[in-house]
Amino acid sequence: MTIPLVVGVDGSETSLEAVDWAAAEAVRHDVPLHLLHAAAGNHEASEVVHAASERAGKGAPTVRLSSEVVHEDAISALVGKDRNAFALVLGSRGLGDLPGMLLGSVGLAVAARADCPVVVVRGSAEHRDARFGSVVVGVEEGEGSDTAVRFAFREARVRHCRLVAVHAWNPRFGASPTPQVPPWYALEAHRRPPAQVLDDALRGPEEWYHDIPVSRRVFDGPARQALLEAASEADLLVVGARGRQALPGLQLGLINHALLHHAPCPVAVVPRK
């Protein structure tokens, strides 16, 4: 049985935009689409699910569609689906979020906890509707980006578009400056050249996805700035996450937090397997 793409719906406009994006994504990958609504009241829930189902059916008439109402909080309901989901898809803000919030509390919590890829649908219609023909993936030093790179190649293939691989580094702080990274002088002796970091990360997937055009970009500066600039002309930004071996809720890291709040296009957070 093919596992579905799961999209959280709450009746907000951003959740309906997520339904649009998820319906198109389900068609690209030929997987079912499952609408999930966490609610307290049955009457209101049925209206929310009905509206989302109509939206998905209109946008993607061939999609295999199912729906479910669960009576628990949205974060628990969505994270509870992660082991049997192709991916979890969420809008950038929900009905309960405060005005002015850049990213809803549910989206941030789910992206920080889920074991499967989580896509937060952000940005203008031209970014959500795949008009740029580009998937961007962030590549970090080490093996933390392996799963994200493979995910990004797969997305580029089903979208018939190019892949842009971005690696940012700073001679003073290293590729991913955090309080846990040792000083630059301790890193210099072990650092690979930035271009080699990209080559090593892409070598295996490029052999498998040899039909995908790939661009490499090395950025001398903060990773956040590099990825936001690349995402300005992208249909999807893909980044890796540390996975559950990190402290609960901290698998995202500071850079991913910033991207989820500020990226101009949908963001896929892919935990390392």
Side-chain angles (χ1 to χ4, degrees):
M1 181 178 177
T2 305
I3 59 174
L5 185 67
V6 178
V7 56
V9 297
D10 64 4
S12 66
E13 181 58 30
T14 57
S15 83
L16 292 176
E17 291 172 355
V19 168
D20 293 339
W21 190 94
E25 182 78 349
V27 171
R28 291 186 193 105
H29 288 279
D30 191 24
V31 297
L33 179 64
H34 185 69
L35 308 177
L36 180 65
H37 177 56
N42 289 325
H43 176 67
E44 196 173 282
S46 64
E47 292 181 352
V48 169
V49 170
H50 178 71
S53 298
E54 281 198 332
R55 184 93 167 223
K58 182 178 180 180
T62 62
V63 73
R64 292 166 283 168
L65 189 63
S66 62
S67 61
E68 179 182 8
V69 176
V70 294
H71 299 284
E72 58 181 315
D73 68 277
I75 296 170
S76 297
L78 287 159
V79 172
K81 292 289 184 182
D82 63 358
R83 294 189 182 276
N84 294 300
F86 185 81
L88 300 175
V89 181
L90 304 167
S92 57
R93 286 183 53 203
L95 285 175
D97 293 316
L98 297 174
M101 289 184 70
L102 297 173
L103 174 66
S105 56
V106 171
L108 191 61
V110 172
R113 301 179 189 180
D115 284 327
C116 73
V118 175
V119 180
V120 174
V121 179
R122 302 182 46 81
S124 64
E126 63 179 351
H127 286 94
R128 300 192 309 269
D129 296 344
R131 300 180 191 175
F132 288 93
S134 175
V135 171
V136 171
V137 61
V139 176
E140 61 181 338
E141 179 77 37
E143 299 178 351
S145 304
D146 291 357
T147 309
V149 168
R150 291 193 296 271
F151 180 95
F153 266 101
R154 184 177 63 179
E155 285 296 319
R157 171 171 282 178
V158 298
R159 294 162 179 268
H160 308 288
C161 73
R162 68 185 179 277
L163 178 69
V164 179
V166 177
H167 174 60
W169 75 297
N170 188 307
R172 184 176 178 185
F173 297 111
S176 301
T178 70
Q180 290 75 37
V181 174
W184 67 272
Y185 51 77
L187 288 168
E188 283 300 320
H190 305 286
R191 191 194 320 278
R192 291 173 293 166
Q196 185 181 340
V197 172
L198 281 176
D199 287 343
D200 291 347
L202 298 174
R203 184 175 297 110
E206 271 190 310
E207 292 177 0
W208 184 259
Y209 296 95
H210 55 83
D211 55 324
I212 304 302
V214 179
S215 298
R216 290 162 166 78
R217 294 187 189 176
V218 173
F219 187 90
D220 184 356
R224 165 183 167 166
Q225 181 182 348
L227 291 169
L228 287 176
E229 287 184 8
S232 66
E233 296 182 346
D235 303 318
L236 180 66
L237 171 62
V238 181
V239 291
R242 296 190 183 99
R244 289 294 180 86
Q245 68 269 20
L247 294 174
L250 296 181
Q251 71 176 26
L252 291 179
L254 296 177
I255 294 171
N256 286 357
H257 268 269
L259 298 174
L260 286 168
H261 280 90
H262 298 287
C265 68
V267 180
V269 178
V270 184
R272 185 184 177 196
K273 299 297 184 183

